[in-house]
Amino acid sequence: MPADGSHPLGSPGYARRHLRFGWWSLLVFLTLGFVLELLHGFKVGLYLDASNETRRLMWRLAHAHGGLLGLIHVAFGLCLRVVPELASRRLPATSACLVGASFLLPGGFFLGGVAFYGGDPGLGILAVPAGAALLATAIYGIARATAAIDRTPARQGAGGKRQRR
């Protein structure tokens, strides 16, 4: 981190990162949803057989969580653009936690459905609690940064008058 306390990527850099990550995530999980619909539409036993209910549940959870996390990235990126005051000194950690959660949560659900044992998800499911903890940490960091907005001094306008945001 530079001596002046600024962040290497800066708020706009993080905003771009999360917007890009969010939109690509949405594309990936939209595609996963499309594949799941194809498996359903073509009555593929690997997905639809009663013995594969665990796989179906895990893959639907991966699709849903991945899509939701993609939307969270887009919202966070837009918030950083609109309210740059959100960029606190915890921004790098918050950003890393959000990205980590976006891999671990849906990835854990997906891998839990690849191989499962007697109705129980596979070992990939062990990534889900870690992803949930990272997501909770990221959301806490964002919520804390929004609370600090009210304590930030108002900006000076063009005429020297103070403007409120």
Side-chain angles (χ1 to χ4, degrees), residues 22-108:
W23 285 111
W24 282 105
S25 293
L26 286 171
L27 178 63
V28 166
F29 290 104
L30 169 79
T31 304
L32 176 60
F34 181 67
V35 169
L36 295 179
E37 287 295 328
L38 285 174
L39 292 173
H40 197 279
F42 286 112
K43 309 288 187 221
V44 176
L46 171 84
Y47 184 66
L48 282 183
D49 287 349
S51 61
N52 292 325
E53 175 61 29
T54 302
R55 172 174 293 134
R56 196 165 46 254
L57 174 64
M58 292 295 107
W59 287 358
R60 285 191 325 236
L61 285 168
H63 166 63
H65 282 81
L68 177 63
L69 282 159
L71 290 174
I72 290 172
H73 278 279
V74 170
F76 184 47
L78 291 175
C79 285
L80 287 173
R81 290 279 178 144
V82 174
V83 187
E85 293 86 4
L86 282 177
S88 70
R89 70 178 194 277
R90 292 181 203 86
L91 181 59
T94 299
S95 176
C97 285
L98 190 55
V99 170
S102 297
F103 284 106
L104 292 175
L105 260 173

Side-chain angles (χ1 to χ4, degrees), residues 107-120:
F109 282 125
F110 185 82
L111 291 174
V114 170
F116 54 94
Y117 312 97
D120 292 329

